[in-house]
Amino acid sequence: MKVVAIDLDGTLLSEDLTIHEENVRAIREAQQQGSIISIATGRALFDAQNIIEKYGLNCPIIASNGAQIYVDNKKIDEQFMDPHITQPIIQWLNEENTYYQPYLSDKIVVSDRGIHHLEEELHEVVKQDPSFNKDHFWESIKVTIEQNGLQEVRGTIHPTDYDSIVKLMVVSPDTSKLKRAKEYFNQLGGCVVSSSGEFNLEIMSVGVDKGIGLHKLCDYYGTTVKNTVVIGDNLNDMPMFHVAGMGIAMGNAEEELIKIATFKTLSNNECGVAYAFNKYIQENEMVSSGLTGR
């Protein structure tokens, strides 16, 4: 039994946030041949479910960068952050007037002041660097600020408002602030900090990442991560690439990911997932079974 874990944004999803029919067809064909095709995403579980159900797909899901694992129509694992860690993080973000989203089991919340904070930061960034591309910034974070399940709350989110936080998403056009934030959060201990884009940070409980989530999924199916293939494009996919038997980087992937990948496929706008199935996954299986004559 082969497990294939596929990232969503920048991988299975094209730039217009749709899944091309060629990719859908490749997933269904692989499922029909007995492979377990999983989605592995930084998105919340309910958001990922909403996306794949639009295309009639039924897949196990590693969500929130491994904090949530959903198999056979049930949640088999969910890891919450320690409030002793989330509280100082939220306090710091509030003091810095930074846009952030606490991910909960059933929704994602954001202050109704969040967009205002982004606009103020962007104004300062452009003042310091007039060449900064504002349109690129807004396009880059569009997925985050418009995602399914996002609910605005009035005023400031207080550190003690939520006890059961799955993940914290932080967004800023100020990359130096993101660097400072990452350094501070890492000093707290008890959490891991990753990224799925140029202008964000993703904070989860220690012991949570996509690679660990892949281990848990394989345990459920009675197989090992060495028998897995992963396809992704960004830094939060790296833990999977470090443990999987084969790592396939998208043509649009971060250079750090490409360096550790087994293969590089086409971009997300060129049906790179389908190409990976046809060019690398199926061909590798034929070689392993001796069907190619090599």
Side-chain angles (χ1 to χ4, degrees):
M1 177 189 298
K2 184 173 291 296
V3 174
V4 182
I6 309 170
D7 174 51
L8 279 179
D9 293 286
T11 302
L12 186 59
L13 293 173
S14 60
E15 291 303 310
D16 63 4
L17 302 181
T18 62
I19 304 177
H20 291 156
E21 179 56 34
E22 190 175 340
N23 287 336
V24 174
R25 186 164 56 247
I27 289 173
R28 287 180 175 151
E29 288 176 357
Q31 288 175 324
Q32 290 168 3
Q33 292 166 9
S35 292
I36 303 297
I37 310 301
S38 172
I39 301 300
T41 179
R43 288 179 181 253
L45 176 59
F46 51 80
D47 192 12
Q49 287 174 306
N50 180 64
I51 290 170
I52 66 171
E53 286 172 1
K54 287 180 182 177
Y55 297 90
L57 293 172
N58 183 14
C59 304
I61 301 172
I62 300 169
S64 299
N65 286 334
Q68 299 169 306
I69 301 176
Y70 181 82
V71 185
D72 293 336
N73 299 314
K74 62 180 181 291
K75 203 181 293 181
I76 64 168
D77 191 61
E78 186 166 44
Q79 301 291 319
F80 296 105
M81 298 182 68
D82 186 336
H84 291 101
I85 302 300
T86 59
Q87 288 172 12
I89 291 176
I90 290 174
Q91 182 176 340
W92 189 93
L93 293 168
N94 286 343
E95 290 171 353
E96 293 285 332
N97 292 322
T98 303
Y99 181 100
Y100 66 94
Q101 302 169 345
Y103 280 47
L104 312 178
S105 283
D106 59 344
K107 61 187 174 183
I108 303 167
V109 294
V110 65
S111 166
D112 60 1
R113 297 278 297 164
I115 296 297
H116 176 69
H117 291 326
L118 282 179
E119 291 170 341
E120 286 185 330
E121 283 189 325
L122 187 57
H123 176 75
E124 290 301 316
V125 168
V126 172
K127 190 160 68 173
Q128 295 294 322
D129 178 12
S131 67
F132 186 88
N133 191 328
K134 293 187 290 185
D135 291 338
H136 170 66
F137 169 71
W138 287 118
E139 188 63 29
S140 297
I141 68 166
K142 182 178 180 181
V143 171
T144 301
I145 64 176
E146 297 181 2
Q147 64 191 304
N148 179 60
L150 185 63
Q151 296 183 14
E152 281 193 348
V153 295
R154 294 187 62 182
T156 301
I157 296 172
H158 297 287
T160 56
D161 282 351
Y162 304 104
D163 287 332
S164 301
I165 294 176
V166 176
K167 185 182 93 166
L168 285 163
M169 170 71 83
V170 180
V171 177
S172 174
D174 186 345
T175 54
S176 64
K177 174 189 271 192
L178 291 176
K179 183 179 179 181
R180 284 191 294 113
K182 184 175 182 179
E183 290 172 352
Y184 172 66
F185 301 155
N186 280 331
Q187 288 174 6
L188 292 174
C191 66
V192 292
V193 185
S194 186
S195 174
S196 58
E198 183 180 359
F199 302 110
N200 72 42
L201 294 177
E202 298 177 310
I203 311 152
M204 294 77 61
S205 177
V206 67
V208 170
D209 61 43
K210 288 188 181 183
I212 295 171
L214 186 61
H215 268 288
K216 292 178 179 179
L217 185 69
C218 288
D219 287 345
Y220 181 89
Y221 285 109
T223 188
T224 68
V225 289
K226 291 305 177 186
N227 195 38
T228 64
V229 177
V230 297
I231 310 174
D233 75 302
N234 222 305
L235 302 185
N236 62 342
D237 296 314
M238 289 188 77
M240 292 196 299
F241 276 63
H242 284 307
V243 300
M246 181 191 297
I248 303 175
M250 299 297 291
N252 53 288
E254 292 288 329
E255 194 60 36
E256 289 181 57
L257 195 69
I258 293 172
K259 286 179 180 178
I260 65 170
T262 315
F263 300 109
K264 178 182 174 183
T265 184
L266 302 178
S267 75
N268 60 327
N269 284 331
E270 300 170 298
C271 297
V273 168
Y275 185 85
F277 273 103
N278 296 330
K279 175 67 176 176
Y280 303 121
I281 301 175
Q282 290 181 6
E283 186 173 297
N284 182 263
E285 288 176 351
M286 292 176 69
V287 170
S288 298
S289 63
L291 295 180
T292 63
R294 286 185 283 178

